[in-house]
PDB file of all heavy atoms in Angstrom:
ATOM      1  N   PHE A 341      86.596  78.045  97.001  1.00  0.00           N
ATOM      2  CA  PHE A 341      86.131  78.056  98.397  1.00  0.00           C
ATOM      3  C   PHE A 341      85.524  79.418  98.745  1.00  0.00           C
ATOM      4  O   PHE A 341      85.731  80.418  98.054  1.00  0.00           O
ATOM      5  CB  PHE A 341      87.273  77.720  99.366  1.00  0.00           C
ATOM      6  CG  PHE A 341      88.434  78.657  99.378  1.00  0.00           C
ATOM      7  CD1 PHE A 341      88.421  79.787 100.149  1.00  0.00           C
ATOM      8  CD2 PHE A 341      89.556  78.379  98.607  1.00  0.00           C
ATOM      9  CE1 PHE A 341      89.510  80.657 100.176  1.00  0.00           C
ATOM     10  CE2 PHE A 341      90.650  79.224  98.610  1.00  0.00           C
ATOM     11  CZ  PHE A 341      90.616  80.369  99.385  1.00  0.00           C
ATOM     12  N   ASN A 342      84.742  79.405  99.789  1.00  0.00           N
ATOM     13  CA  ASN A 342      84.046  80.623 100.256  1.00  0.00           C
ATOM     14  C   ASN A 342      83.105  81.181  99.224  1.00  0.00           C
ATOM     15  O   ASN A 342      83.036  82.388  99.029  1.00  0.00           O
ATOM     16  CB  ASN A 342      85.060  81.680 100.729  1.00  0.00           C
ATOM     17  CG  ASN A 342      84.448  82.663 101.732  1.00  0.00           C
ATOM     18  OD1 ASN A 342      83.602  82.284 102.527  1.00  0.00           O
ATOM     19  ND2 ASN A 342      84.870  83.903 101.683  1.00  0.00           N
ATOM     20  N   ASN A 343      82.378  80.296  98.560  1.00  0.00           N
ATOM     21  CA  ASN A 343      81.254  80.643  97.673  1.00  0.00           C
ATOM     22  C   ASN A 343      80.039  79.889  98.129  1.00  0.00           C
ATOM     23  O   ASN A 343      80.169  78.773  98.658  1.00  0.00           O
ATOM     24  CB  ASN A 343      81.584  80.266  96.225  1.00  0.00           C
ATOM     25  CG  ASN A 343      82.444  81.300  95.522  1.00  0.00           C
ATOM     26  OD1 ASN A 343      81.982  82.394  95.195  1.00  0.00           O
ATOM     27  ND2 ASN A 343      83.710  80.954  95.274  1.00  0.00           N
ATOM     28  N   PRO A 344      78.835  80.413  97.885  1.00  0.00           N
ATOM     29  CA  PRO A 344      77.613  79.714  98.313  1.00  0.00           C
ATOM     30  C   PRO A 344      77.224  78.584  97.337  1.00  0.00           C
ATOM     31  O   PRO A 344      76.073  78.539  96.870  1.00  0.00           O
ATOM     32  CB  PRO A 344      76.580  80.827  98.372  1.00  0.00           C
ATOM     33  CG  PRO A 344      77.037  81.830  97.368  1.00  0.00           C
ATOM     34  CD  PRO A 344      78.547  81.764  97.402  1.00  0.00           C
ATOM     35  N   VAL A 345      78.168  77.735  96.999  1.00  0.00           N
ATOM     36  CA  VAL A 345      77.908  76.630  96.064  1.00  0.00           C
ATOM     37  C   VAL A 345      77.530  75.371  96.850  1.00  0.00           C
ATOM     38  O   VAL A 345      78.227  75.031  97.805  1.00  0.00           O
ATOM     39  CB  VAL A 345      79.169  76.339  95.216  1.00  0.00           C
ATOM     40  CG1 VAL A 345      78.937  75.153  94.289  1.00  0.00           C
ATOM     41  CG2 VAL A 345      79.569  77.556  94.426  1.00  0.00           C
ATOM     42  N   PRO A 346      76.463  74.716  96.481  1.00  0.00           N
ATOM     43  CA  PRO A 346      76.164  73.396  97.065  1.00  0.00           C
ATOM     44  C   PRO A 346      77.121  72.370  96.470  1.00  0.00           C
ATOM     45  O   PRO A 346      76.861  71.785  95.436  1.00  0.00           O
ATOM     46  CB  PRO A 346      74.733  73.135  96.696  1.00  0.00           C
ATOM     47  CG  PRO A 346      74.472  73.974  95.488  1.00  0.00           C
ATOM     48  CD  PRO A 346      75.397  75.140  95.556  1.00  0.00           C
ATOM     49  N   TYR A 347      78.264  72.169  97.100  1.00  0.00           N
ATOM     50  CA  TYR A 347      79.366  71.419  96.506  1.00  0.00           C
ATOM     51  C   TYR A 347      78.978  69.949  96.202  1.00  0.00           C
ATOM     52  O   TYR A 347      79.549  69.348  95.295  1.00  0.00           O
ATOM     53  CB  TYR A 347      80.567  71.472  97.416  1.00  0.00           C
ATOM     54  CG  TYR A 347      81.093  72.878  97.549  1.00  0.00           C
ATOM     55  CD1 TYR A 347      80.825  73.632  98.673  1.00  0.00           C
ATOM     56  CD2 TYR A 347      81.844  73.477  96.540  1.00  0.00           C
ATOM     57  CE1 TYR A 347      81.265  74.945  98.822  1.00  0.00           C
ATOM     58  CE2 TYR A 347      82.298  74.768  96.642  1.00  0.00           C
ATOM     59  CZ  TYR A 347      82.000  75.516  97.773  1.00  0.00           C
ATOM     60  OH  TYR A 347      82.436  76.812  97.875  1.00  0.00           O
ATOM     61  N   TRP A 348      78.040  69.412  96.965  1.00  0.00           N
ATOM     62  CA  TRP A 348      77.630  68.030  96.726  1.00  0.00           C
ATOM     63  C   TRP A 348      76.896  67.861  95.402  1.00  0.00           C
ATOM     64  O   TRP A 348      76.739  66.739  94.928  1.00  0.00           O
ATOM     65  CB  TRP A 348      76.762  67.562  97.896  1.00  0.00           C
ATOM     66  CG  TRP A 348      75.586  68.453  98.156  1.00  0.00           C
ATOM     67  CD1 TRP A 348      74.331  68.380  97.609  1.00  0.00           C
ATOM     68  CD2 TRP A 348      75.572  69.599  99.034  1.00  0.00           C
ATOM     69  NE1 TRP A 348      73.543  69.374  98.066  1.00  0.00           N
ATOM     70  CE2 TRP A 348      74.260  70.157  98.943  1.00  0.00           C
ATOM     71  CE3 TRP A 348      76.505  70.212  99.853  1.00  0.00           C
ATOM     72  CZ2 TRP A 348      73.872  71.282  99.670  1.00  0.00           C
ATOM     73  CZ3 TRP A 348      76.132  71.339 100.584  1.00  0.00           C
ATOM     74  CH2 TRP A 348      74.849  71.836 100.497  1.00  0.00           C
ATOM     75  N   GLU A 349      76.446  68.963  94.836  1.00  0.00           N
ATOM     76  CA  GLU A 349      75.752  68.892  93.533  1.00  0.00           C
ATOM     77  C   GLU A 349      76.705  69.023  92.345  1.00  0.00           C
ATOM     78  O   GLU A 349      76.283  68.830  91.187  1.00  0.00           O
ATOM     79  CB  GLU A 349      74.687  69.992  93.458  1.00  0.00           C
ATOM     80  CG  GLU A 349      73.570  69.834  94.464  1.00  0.00           C
ATOM     81  CD  GLU A 349      72.509  70.929  94.328  1.00  0.00           C
ATOM     82  OE1 GLU A 349      72.632  71.737  93.391  1.00  0.00           O
ATOM     83  OE2 GLU A 349      71.573  70.933  95.164  1.00  0.00           O
ATOM     84  N   VAL A 350      77.951  69.361  92.589  1.00  0.00           N
ATOM     85  CA  VAL A 350      78.932  69.522  91.504  1.00  0.00           C
ATOM     86  C   VAL A 350      79.344  68.137  91.011  1.00  0.00           C
ATOM     87  O   VAL A 350      79.828  67.328  91.761  1.00  0.00           O
ATOM     88  CB  VAL A 350      80.142  70.342  91.952  1.00  0.00           C
ATOM     89  CG1 VAL A 350      81.147  70.484  90.819  1.00  0.00           C
ATOM     90  CG2 VAL A 350      79.703  71.729  92.450  1.00  0.00           C
ATOM     91  N   GLN A 351      79.219  67.923  89.706  1.00  0.00           N
ATOM     92  CA  GLN A 351      79.530  66.609  89.151  1.00  0.00           C
ATOM     93  C   GLN A 351      81.043  66.413  89.038  1.00  0.00           C
ATOM     94  O   GLN A 351      81.745  67.375  88.663  1.00  0.00           O
ATOM     95  CB  GLN A 351      78.915  66.450  87.768  1.00  0.00           C
ATOM     96  CG  GLN A 351      77.367  66.550  87.774  1.00  0.00           C
ATOM     97  CD  GLN A 351      76.802  66.352  86.386  1.00  0.00           C
ATOM     98  OE1 GLN A 351      77.296  65.550  85.600  1.00  0.00           O
ATOM     99  NE2 GLN A 351      75.713  67.069  86.087  1.00  0.00           N
ATOM    100  N   PRO A 352      81.567  65.231  89.320  1.00  0.00           N
ATOM    101  CA  PRO A 352      82.997  64.980  89.207  1.00  0.00           C
ATOM    102  C   PRO A 352      83.558  65.297  87.819  1.00  0.00           C
ATOM    103  O   PRO A 352      84.714  65.731  87.679  1.00  0.00           O
ATOM    104  CB  PRO A 352      83.119  63.487  89.531  1.00  0.00           C
ATOM    105  CG  PRO A 352      81.915  63.196  90.358  1.00  0.00           C
ATOM    106  CD  PRO A 352      80.833  64.069  89.856  1.00  0.00           C
ATOM    107  N   ALA A 353      82.755  65.093  86.768  1.00  0.00           N
ATOM    108  CA  ALA A 353      83.219  65.330  85.393  1.00  0.00           C
ATOM    109  C   ALA A 353      83.516  66.818  85.155  1.00  0.00           C
ATOM    110  O   ALA A 353      84.191  67.160  84.157  1.00  0.00           O
ATOM    111  CB  ALA A 353      82.175  64.855  84.398  1.00  0.00           C
TER     112      ALA A 353
END
Side-chain angles (χ1 to χ4, degrees):
F341 63 86
N342 204 33
N343 277 289
V345 177
Y347 297 102
W348 54 90
E349 294 182 5
V350 179
Q351 299 182 36

